[in-house]
Amino acid sequence: RAMHPDLKKDIKNLNALSIEKKYELIGFSNLLDENKKIKIPENISQIKIDIGLSFSAPNASLWLCETDDRMVFGFEPSPFCTASLVKGIGGRNGIGEHQAAMCIGEGVIYKNNEIVESEINNRFTLVQCALDDVGKHNPQFMTFYQTLGDPGCSSLSMPTDKLISDAKRNEEGAMGVTGVGVISFYDFLEKIPWDRFDFIEQVKIDTQGRDLNILKSSEEYLQKIVFLQVENSTNGEYEDSHTKEEIHQFLIDNDFKHIYTIDVDSSYINSKYFHLIDKLHNSVV
């Protein structure tokens, strides 16, 4: 599981570039308008952010199907997953009769192999990088572990033997390793045109052990999020992962109220927006 020497050298060389060049290579610069703010169409009333799309983006797809005036930003660093999203592999092949999946290349969402939503690229932006606690205005390139079997299990955290053995993968074919661009959540959130939006309606995070890092990296903008869903634990399947207790306590300390937990997925609401609990859109797969 050691990193290939050439990859280690490539990552080191990329990190030696200027901050501006790193933002450009990561693709962050393309998100901005002439005022250096995130580009969001004028007809959009609320923003949702899906962090960790996997190969079919079921949550982002659900949001786009259920609303017509929400802008969804989806973060996914895995080259395999982003290629699948563009081609719509997860949608056309079917991933369950109750779960929608997108095809960015066609600008549609599939469900049961039928198109259920069109022209989604007017309301959806794919951001092909990872988020992590790298410090604001400090874009980085980092090692990314691509697990076989379920590509949605890929992570900045190295999988443990528990994940590999549970999936019945042998040591040689357990994973691939690549380099990906990484920014802090702060870097993205500070570029939201806040003169148009009072808050971020909903954020879903599922990054195989890095959820707490991402929350911490948002800094003061954490208080701009209304609804939040996190993966509270990886059950020991990744190194350097937070525990359920750690992420829960962090959110309680930052004045979020726990709504419910199903398995490893926990939902919260920002206390200062609790009066909006029944007025805003909030749904997850």
Side-chain angles (χ1 to χ4, degrees), residues 86-88 92 103-108 110 115 118-121:
V86 171
K87 296 176 182 177
R92 282 195 291 270
C103 174
I104 296 171
E106 298 176 19
V108 301
Y110 284 93
I115 294 175
S118 301
E119 299 182 0
I120 65 167
N121 293 333

Side-chain angles (χ1 to χ4, degrees), residues 147-150 153 159-170 173-174 237-238:
T147 52
L148 303 179
D150 180 359
C153 290
T160 65
D161 289 337
K162 181 177 188 295
L163 175 64
I164 295 169
S165 61
D166 285 352
K168 298 180 179 178
R169 301 168 187 148
N170 58 46
E237 293 184 339
Y238 297 87

Side-chain angles (χ1 to χ4, degrees), residues 2 6 11 13 45 49 60 69 91 98 108 152 177 187 189 201 223 226 239 260:
D6 288 345
I11 290 175
N13 289 339
S45 68
I49 303 174
D69 62 348
H98 300 299
V108 301
V177 183
D187 284 9
L189 292 172
E201 183 175 52
Q223 295 305 321
V226 179
E239 296 180 3
Y260 64 83

Side-chain angles (χ1 to χ4, degrees), residues 73-267:
F73 292 94
F75 285 83
E76 179 54 60
S78 164
F80 179 87
C81 288
T82 55
S84 297
L85 290 164
V86 171
K87 296 176 182 177
I89 293 173
R92 282 195 291 270
N93 289 348
I95 54 172
E97 63 180 21
H98 300 299
Q99 201 170 103
M102 67 173 58
C103 174
I104 296 171
E106 298 176 19
V108 301
I109 293 174
Y110 284 93
K111 191 173 183 180
N112 293 329
N113 297 320
E114 295 183 359
I115 294 175
V116 293
E117 192 71 27
S118 301
E119 299 182 0
I120 65 167
N121 293 333
N122 295 327
R123 298 189 292 122
F124 176 80
T125 296
L126 172 65
V127 188
Q128 299 181 55
C129 76
L131 296 175
D132 206 66
D133 196 11
V134 294
K136 60 185 179 183
H137 309 147
N138 186 37
Q140 296 289 309
F141 288 86
M142 296 173 63
T143 306
F144 187 73
Y145 301 94
Q146 300 183 98
T147 52
L148 303 179
D150 180 359
C153 290
S154 300
S155 177
L156 289 172
S157 293
M158 180 182 286
T160 65
D161 289 337
K162 181 177 188 295
L163 175 64
I164 295 169
S165 61
D166 285 352
K168 298 180 179 178
R169 301 168 187 148
N170 58 46
E171 185 73 16
E172 182 179 359
M175 62 186 176
V177 183
T178 189
V180 298
V182 185
I183 64 173
S184 72
F185 202 9
Y186 179 98
D187 284 9
F188 179 82
L189 292 172
E190 77 163 338
K191 296 298 186 180
I192 296 291
W194 290 112
D195 57 328
R196 292 178 51 195
F197 301 94
D198 294 327
F199 45 70
I200 302 295
E201 183 175 52
Q202 185 175 9
V203 174
K204 183 234 87 185
I205 312 176
D206 184 350
T207 57
Q208 315 305 313
R210 312 296 283 209
D211 295 35
L212 181 54
N213 280 11
I214 292 171
L215 292 172
K216 288 180 177 179
S217 82
S218 65
E219 301 195 22
E220 66 264 30
Y221 287 105
L222 180 64
Q223 295 305 321
K224 290 280 194 178
I225 298 169
V226 179
F227 293 108
L228 177 64
Q229 174 163 307
V230 298
E231 183 182 43
N232 59 55
S233 172
T234 68
N235 294 320
E237 293 184 339
Y238 297 87
E239 296 180 3
D240 303 317
S241 176
H242 56 77
T243 65
K244 179 179 180 179
E245 292 74 22
E246 286 172 337
I247 197 166
H248 176 74
Q249 191 59 53
F250 175 82
L251 288 168
I252 294 301
D253 290 345
N254 281 277
D255 209 21
F256 278 76
K257 291 182 179 294
H258 177 253
I259 303 175
Y260 64 83
T261 292
I262 299 176
D263 194 17
V264 295
D265 297 316
S266 294
S267 291

Side-chain angles (χ1 to χ4, degrees), residues 34-53:
E34 62 276 9
N35 297 315
K36 304 300 182 182
K37 297 296 183 181
I38 302 291
K39 290 181 280 192
I40 301 174
E42 290 299 323
N43 65 314
I44 296 300
S45 68
Q46 301 291 351
I47 299 169
K48 293 179 179 289
I49 303 174
D50 190 351
I51 305 171
L53 299 174

